[in-house]
Amino acid sequence: MTLINPNQQPDFLSVVEKQMQLTEAQGMAIRGLVDGIKQMHLDVTEKVEEVQMMVQEVRDSVTLTDAECYQLQDAVRTRSITLTKDRYKETDGKFNETVGKYRRMIWSKLKVLFSVAKYSHIRRIDFDDSIYFVKEFRPEDYI
């Protein structure tokens, strides 16, 4: 059995104290690292949100595609013919004149509704609303 020499005890305590100081220093370093990572995460999250908002702004300002313009034209064409058929027979001399009148009225009211000079400048996010407007258009609401 080995006995501990009383003269060796201070060395043992100093080693333990030194180890405790190192552990505390490591803890502080790790705490600083964790705090830095948390701040980086907050910064990145903020930047991602900024980029998402900017992307949404761009998406919101993009105007109709050619395919959407064609669909809108087709909806106006169909609606103007349907409105005219409700009032005149296709053999009536006023049929084509009335189709044109309704078509112009729909285009005019559509551009006013979406505050654009040309229907092709309607924003893509408003496409569904523009189609709905055309399909539900009633000239009586504007006369």
Side-chain angles (χ1 to χ4, degrees), residues 4-63:
I4 298 178
N5 183 347
N7 293 335
Q8 291 178 336
Q9 281 184 341
D11 288 337
F12 174 73
L13 286 176
S14 68
V15 169
V16 171
E17 282 182 348
K18 188 138 187 112
Q19 186 60 44
M20 191 171 68
Q21 288 171 353
L22 288 172
T23 302
E24 287 172 350
Q26 288 174 340
M28 288 174 49
I30 291 171
R31 171 57 56 203
L33 184 61
V34 168
D35 289 345
I37 290 171
K38 283 181 181 177
Q39 187 59 48
M40 283 177 28
H41 177 71
L42 290 173
D43 293 346
V44 167
T45 300
E46 184 179 306
K47 293 297 179 191
V48 166
E49 288 172 359
E50 256 181 64
V51 169
Q52 287 173 333
M53 287 173 45
M54 290 168 48
V55 166
Q56 190 61 44
E57 286 177 24
V58 169
R59 282 184 184 150
D60 290 351
S61 67
V62 173
T63 58

Side-chain angles (χ1 to χ4, degrees), residues 130-142:
S130 67
I131 291 291
Y132 177 81
F133 172 82
V134 170
K135 288 183 176 182
E136 298 298 317
F137 181 83
R138 293 175 7 159
E140 298 81 20
D141 295 341
Y142 300 97

Side-chain angles (χ1 to χ4, degrees), residues 6 15 42 50 56 61 69 75 88 94 103-104 112 115-117 122 135 143:
V15 169
L42 290 173
E50 256 181 64
Q56 190 61 44
S61 67
C69 285
Y88 297 99
K94 290 189 172 191
R103 200 168 286 169
R104 286 186 300 278
V112 168
S115 302
V116 293
I122 293 173
K135 288 183 176 182
I143 295 176

Side-chain angles (χ1 to χ4, degrees), residues 72-73 75-83 98-114 119 122 130-131 133-139 142:
L72 191 56
Q73 289 171 350
V76 170
R77 184 174 25 260
T78 301
R79 185 66 179 151
S80 62
I81 291 170
T82 301
L83 287 169
T98 306
V99 167
K101 177 180 154 187
Y102 286 143
R103 200 168 286 169
R104 286 186 300 278
M105 184 184 285
I106 293 169
W107 284 125
S108 174
K109 301 307 177 190
L110 187 68
K111 290 187 284 188
V112 168
L113 178 66
F114 292 102
Y119 75 92
I122 293 173
S130 67
I131 291 291
F133 172 82
V134 170
K135 288 183 176 182
E136 298 298 317
F137 181 83
R138 293 175 7 159
Y142 300 97

Side-chain angles (χ1 to χ4, degrees), residues 111-130:
K111 290 187 284 188
V112 168
L113 178 66
F114 292 102
S115 302
V116 293
K118 298 179 179 182
Y119 75 92
S120 61
H121 292 166
I122 293 173
R123 299 175 313 159
R124 291 195 70 205
I125 61 170
D126 295 327
F127 174 69
D128 291 336
D129 292 340
S130 67

